Amino acid sequence: MLTDLPNIHQDIVEQLDYFISTVSTDFRLLTLNPFGRKLCGITAEHNLMQQPLYVHNFHDKENYHYLLNTVFPHVQKHSYWQGPLCFFDQQNNCIPTQLKVLAHRDLAGNIISYTGIAHTLPSLTEQTLDELNKQIFDDAIEGIMVTDAQARILKVNPAFTSITGYKAAEVIGKTPAILRSSHHGPDFYRQMWQTIEKKGYWQGEIWNRKKDLTVYQQWLKISRVQSSDGALSHYLAVFQDLSVIRSKDQQIHQLVNFDRLTRLGNRELLVSRFPQTLAQCKQQKSKLLICWIDGSQLSDVNQQLGLTYGDRLIQLQAERLQQLAGPEDTLVRIYADDYILLHQTSTNLSQSNKLISRLLEELKQPARLGDEVLLPTPHIGVACYPEDGEQEEDLLHAAELAMFAAKEKGGPSLNFYNRQVGADYHRKALIRQKLLAALQANEVHLQLYFQPKVKLSNGSLAGAEALIRWQDPELGAISPADFIPIAEQSSLIIELDRWVVKQLCRQLVSWQQQHLSVPVISFNISARHLVEPDFTSWLLACLQEYRISASALEMEITETALIDNEANAISKLQLLKDNGMRIALDDFGTGYSSLCYLKNMPLDTVKIDRSVVSDLTTNAKALCIIKSIQLLASELQLGLTVEGIENQQQHQILVEVGCQQAQGYWYARPMPANQMALQLSGSL
């Protein structure tokens, strides 16, 4: 399975007979594989987090100076370096290796870590120098040709034959003139030999000819070889076929900078192009639009139709984007179905805005994937240089925030960044961070409040709803309307729900110890939490831990929790109901299929949302809806609670209609536990 790939890769790293280590930008070892530990004398029990090791621990001063001043600067510029280097183990023994260092960068191009991969080299004493020289000569990928002092060919290596097409027997005894093309005149060769005589060598690009008469470009170096008495004895020529090298360079460039699935650029291309494009915009005083494009369908397609369909969707999106992107634009796929477009434009943005609108229109056209037809809902966020930032990272962040804002609009949408969006995002990020810290620390700044429910027939206490309140030392009071939606965007809402349940259980125990008569207390559970596989088992185990009867509680769920999850929800709710817990459908009247849920779900209570009763005193239709729901609940033998009662007139109407329970500011605002205790004791 694809999900097993990280484990497979880790197994491979641990089994390879290579030194493999990842280090931070301050050269601290983050990981070191078993072979690397064995090579350097580091035990398997050595914890790199608790007992940190650094690059300098494995090198002498000379080596470390070479790493700092040559190797790492080269890696920072080119993203890699390779060459021979000695390691020193814990006993200070020198271990010769062939080392490769790779840089890992973030989206903005900043290096975040390095990986070193090394294999050990045999000592030169293990073979004679003659044998080594012969092996180098025979195995070299460069063509090598040795001549005598009169430039007659004495010896060539296998690579010479592979490149030129001439076998050794066909050229030995002849001069290199048989390789000449007609691209260079006599002056070129005269200057070449003058340089060899003066400097002892010549190197440069030259056009030569193969046996099949093909003319090709070489990188050639010719050196004088002198005998022990200083006299000229031989010439040594070493050359490479530049056309092959450039072809391989192009292939490497494609692999490194382009996405295989779509043929679009990838992150590496964006990292290299972005600074160049910004520099050009600064020089020309032009604008740059950074478009963050989200296809927004891939996850659903992968889950429902499979990865093959997902790949086809990505290819279709890429084709549509390529048709509209200009030749000077940079278009890359950064991951999944997210793309970045860099579009340079003049100070007049009208034409560019039309382009972006066309991108949205094109992407939202029906997508045919085999027998399936999708209606995509793309979202595009746009940031503009220099208005929204002058650095790559700031501009990308602004475009991403604009894309998130486009998503919140619903449906295919386009959104331009504004600073208020950025400020809102940063506030949300801060709230998310602080809420997580508060939950983990079980801070007193998070508290349960309780809002009473009253019996409309006599005004007595019928129950209460547990509500969470948060008073942060830095941000002050944060409304649940702000932090709960943020928590619902991630699994943080599950931690929040469980915190509420545990706090509620503790509070019930405390009230019981005070011998207070406690009515049924309701609590809310999110849609995300309800679908958790262990939800019911955890909840029942929690009640058992605190010895709280399930009948003391009422769980409120919204219609959102039931959409696309009805069968699963029914089984879980029925299990809780069988254990004595009451189930309430919250926010009734705001959804689209509530009547179906009344028919199918194991409910005890329906709670009419405050939006239904807000204009109850002035809107005859609202009164008609309340009467209809009251009659329906009565026929279905369901309890009915009306939320949001704020004045005497609303209260009186509900009494006349015959509603059973209500809650709202008219009766009591949410109150802390100690004040609720006074309410329970009859002191208030």
Side-chain angles (χ1 to χ4, degrees):
M1 295 176 62
L2 290 177
T3 53
D4 295 332
L5 281 178
N7 293 332
I8 293 172
H9 291 165
Q10 183 63 31
D11 289 343
I12 292 172
V13 168
E14 292 185 356
Q15 295 300 321
L16 284 176
D17 289 341
Y18 282 78
F19 172 102
I20 303 176
S21 177
T22 299
V23 302
S24 62
T25 53
D26 61 352
F27 309 129
R28 179 173 63 85
L29 270 68
L30 303 176
T31 64
L32 181 60
N33 72 332
F35 183 84
R37 287 174 177 265
K38 180 179 178 182
L39 186 70
C40 298
I42 308 298
T43 65
E45 292 75 23
H46 188 111
N47 189 315
L48 293 176
M49 300 303 294
Q50 298 176 358
Q51 301 170 278
L53 294 173
Y54 292 83
V55 171
H56 67 75
N57 295 127
F58 302 93
H59 299 280
D60 60 11
K61 289 184 178 180
E62 183 179 349
N63 270 5
Y64 190 61
H65 184 270
Y66 177 63
L67 283 166
L68 290 183
N69 294 280
T70 301
V71 174
F72 283 112
H74 188 279
V75 175
Q76 290 163 5
K77 182 176 181 181
H78 301 286
S79 293
Y80 75 94
W81 175 89
Q82 63 179 352
L85 195 73
C86 268
F87 280 74
F88 286 83
D89 62 18
Q90 296 298 288
Q91 287 71 46
N92 210 32
N93 298 314
C94 178
I95 305 168
T97 70
Q98 180 72 14
L99 174 67
K100 177 178 284 188
V101 182
L102 306 173
H104 306 292
R105 301 178 184 270
D106 59 20
L107 187 59
N110 302 311
I111 293 178
I112 56 177
S113 61
Y114 304 91
T115 292
I117 304 172
H119 64 85
T120 56
L121 296 174
S123 171
L124 289 178
T125 59
E126 296 177 9
Q127 51 185 312
T128 65
L129 190 58
D130 286 344
E131 290 173 337
L132 181 59
N133 288 338
K134 182 179 185 303
Q135 184 174 350
I136 293 172
F137 184 84
D138 290 340
D139 292 347
I141 61 173
E142 296 88 357
I144 301 175
M145 175 174 59
V146 181
T147 74
D148 60 16
Q150 288 72 44
R152 289 189 297 270
I153 299 173
L154 300 177
K155 190 174 185 180
V156 297
N157 72 339
F160 175 96
T161 300
S162 176
I163 295 172
T164 67
Y166 285 105
K167 296 180 180 179
E170 295 175 305
V171 296
I172 290 176
K174 299 178 182 178
T175 70
I178 64 170
L179 303 174
R180 287 185 181 180
S181 70
S182 58
H183 277 58
H184 307 289
D187 288 344
F188 175 86
Y189 294 104
R190 183 168 51 253
Q191 292 174 9
M192 174 195 291
W193 287 106
Q194 287 175 354
T195 301
I196 294 171
E197 294 303 316
K198 181 179 180 180
K199 294 185 176 181
Y201 71 93
W202 176 92
Q203 63 179 350
E205 294 184 7
I206 185 171
W207 290 91
N208 271 339
R209 186 177 58 196
K210 299 182 181 181
K211 182 180 179 181
D212 63 5
L213 304 183
T214 300
V215 176
Y216 68 106
Q217 199 171 19
Q218 281 183 353
W219 179 264
L220 172 65
K221 182 175 183 179
I222 303 175
S223 304
R224 288 169 53 96
V225 180
Q226 297 177 330
S227 59
S228 57
D229 59 4
L232 173 66
S233 63
H234 300 87
Y235 290 102
L236 174 66
V238 181
F239 61 91
Q240 292 176 301
D241 185 344
L242 287 178
S243 62
V244 173
I245 294 173
R246 287 167 179 166
S247 174
K248 289 181 178 178
D249 286 345
Q250 180 62 29
Q251 292 175 18
I252 293 172
H253 177 76
Q254 286 290 124
L255 289 173
V256 170
N257 293 286
F258 288 86
D259 177 55
R260 290 188 179 185
L261 182 62
T262 63
R263 307 292 183 182
L264 297 181
N266 59 15
R267 284 175 178 242
E268 292 297 327
L269 185 68
L270 180 65
V271 167
S272 63
R273 288 266 187 92
F274 209 156
Q276 301 171 13
T277 306
L278 272 183
Q280 188 174 355
C281 289
K282 291 176 182 178
Q283 183 180 15
Q284 298 176 358
K285 296 183 178 180
S286 58
K287 293 183 180 292
L288 179 66
L289 295 183
I290 300 90
C291 306
W292 193 300
I293 304 164
D294 173 37
S296 294
Q297 295 289 122
L298 184 60
S299 177
D300 292 340
V301 171
N302 283 340
Q303 290 179 10
Q304 297 172 17
L305 302 177
L307 297 178
T308 300
Y309 282 87
D311 287 348
R312 178 61 192 123
L313 176 62
I314 292 171
Q315 290 172 330
L316 180 60
Q317 291 171 344
E319 291 168 6
R320 291 177 172 180
L321 291 171
Q322 277 183 309
Q323 291 173 0
L324 295 176
E328 301 301 320
D329 295 337
T330 296
L331 176 62
V332 304
R333 175 190 175 212
I334 52 173
Y335 56 78
D337 57 347
D338 277 36
Y339 311 86
I340 298 291
L341 175 70
L342 303 182
H343 175 72
Q344 190 174 350
T345 184
S346 63
T347 54
N348 184 357
L349 295 176
S350 59
Q351 291 299 319
S352 298
N353 291 344
K354 289 180 181 178
L355 167 64
I356 299 169
S357 297
R358 287 176 62 201
L359 291 174
L360 183 67
E361 289 299 317
E362 185 66 27
L363 285 176
K364 75 177 187 180
Q365 295 304 310
R368 181 174 293 279
L369 305 176
D371 296 332
E372 301 288 336
V373 177
L374 303 179
L375 294 177
T377 55
H379 307 101
I380 301 179
V382 185
C384 181
Y385 164 85
E387 287 84 350
D388 300 328
E390 297 191 358
Q391 303 298 323
E392 302 99 281
E393 186 175 0
D394 295 336
L395 290 165
L396 282 171
H397 186 51
E400 185 179 22
L401 293 182
M403 184 271 291
F404 288 145
K407 274 190 170 184
E408 292 178 359
K409 293 180 179 179
S413 53
L414 165 65
N415 192 70
F416 286 81
Y417 175 79
N418 64 67
R419 297 195 181 277
Q420 185 58 48
V421 170
D424 290 345
Y425 177 85
H426 287 300
R427 175 174 169 78
K428 288 180 180 179
L430 181 60
I431 288 174
R432 185 184 300 108
Q433 178 184 356
K434 283 182 165 290
L435 181 58
L436 176 60
L439 288 169
Q440 291 176 341
N442 200 21
E443 291 185 358
V444 296
H445 307 299
L446 286 172
Q447 289 187 349
L448 279 190
Y449 273 50
F450 298 87
Q451 186 174 31
K453 301 176 184 178
V454 301
K455 293 180 182 179
L456 290 175
S457 60
N458 57 17
S460 62
L461 185 66
E465 180 180 1
L467 302 167
I468 190 169
R469 293 294 183 263
W470 183 15
Q471 181 77 27
D472 182 76
E474 180 182 349
L475 299 178
I478 304 174
S479 169
D482 290 334
F483 68 80
I484 288 180
I486 293 173
E488 285 178 337
Q489 294 172 2
S490 68
S491 59
L492 194 57
I493 190 63
I494 297 171
E495 294 187 50
L496 190 61
D497 281 352
R498 297 194 175 191
W499 183 90
V500 168
V501 172
K502 281 183 173 286
Q503 289 297 113
L504 178 56
C505 288
R506 294 186 184 113
Q507 188 59 62
L508 288 174
V509 170
S510 174
W511 284 338
Q512 289 172 359
Q513 291 171 348
Q514 298 173 51
H515 304 291
L516 297 174
S517 178
V518 183
V520 173
I521 306 293
S522 63
F523 64 97
N524 295 277
I525 286 296
S526 69
R528 286 186 69 118
H529 199 176
L530 185 62
V531 300
E532 285 293 299
D534 70 336
F535 168 68
T536 51
S537 60
W538 176 87
L539 180 55
L540 293 173
C542 186
L543 296 180
Q544 185 175 9
E545 177 186 353
Y546 289 94
R547 298 182 181 179
I548 301 295
S549 171
S551 61
L553 299 175
E554 180 178 67
M555 187 176 76
E556 297 185 7
I557 58 171
T558 63
E559 187 176 314
T560 308
L562 308 177
I563 296 174
D564 297 329
N565 189 39
E566 186 172 342
N568 188 24
I570 289 175
S571 64
K572 290 180 177 179
L573 297 179
Q574 188 63 57
L575 176 61
L576 294 174
K577 187 176 175 67
D578 291 343
N579 278 271
M581 186 176 293
R582 297 176 60 84
I583 309 297
L585 181 61
D586 198 9
D587 298 341
F588 187 80
T590 61
Y592 298 99
S593 53
S594 300
L595 294 179
C596 294
Y597 298 134
L598 293 184
K599 176 171 66 78
N600 298 329
M601 292 290 153
L603 300 174
D604 296 288
T605 305
V606 174
K607 294 190 70 175
I608 298 179
D609 187 69
R610 67 182 64 247
S611 63
V612 180
V613 300
S614 60
D615 57 352
L616 184 59
T617 58
T618 58
N619 190 329
K621 292 182 179 179
L623 178 57
C624 182
I625 291 172
I626 294 292
K627 289 180 178 179
S628 299
I629 297 175
Q630 161 64 17
L631 179 60
L632 181 62
S634 178
E635 290 292 328
L636 294 175
Q637 297 182 338
L638 294 174
L640 182 67
T641 302
V642 185
E643 296 181 292
I645 307 306
E646 297 184 351
N647 55 57
Q648 171 68 33
Q649 293 88 345
Q650 291 174 339
H651 165 78
Q652 190 60 40
I653 291 173
L654 295 180
V655 171
E656 293 171 359
V657 170
C659 293
Q660 301 167 337
Q661 289 185 177
Q663 69 183 101
Y665 287 179
W666 173 249
Y667 310 109
R669 290 176 176 270
M671 59 188 70
N674 58 351
Q675 188 176 345
M676 186 66 196
L678 295 176
Q679 185 91 21
L680 295 174
S681 66
S683 300
L684 285 181

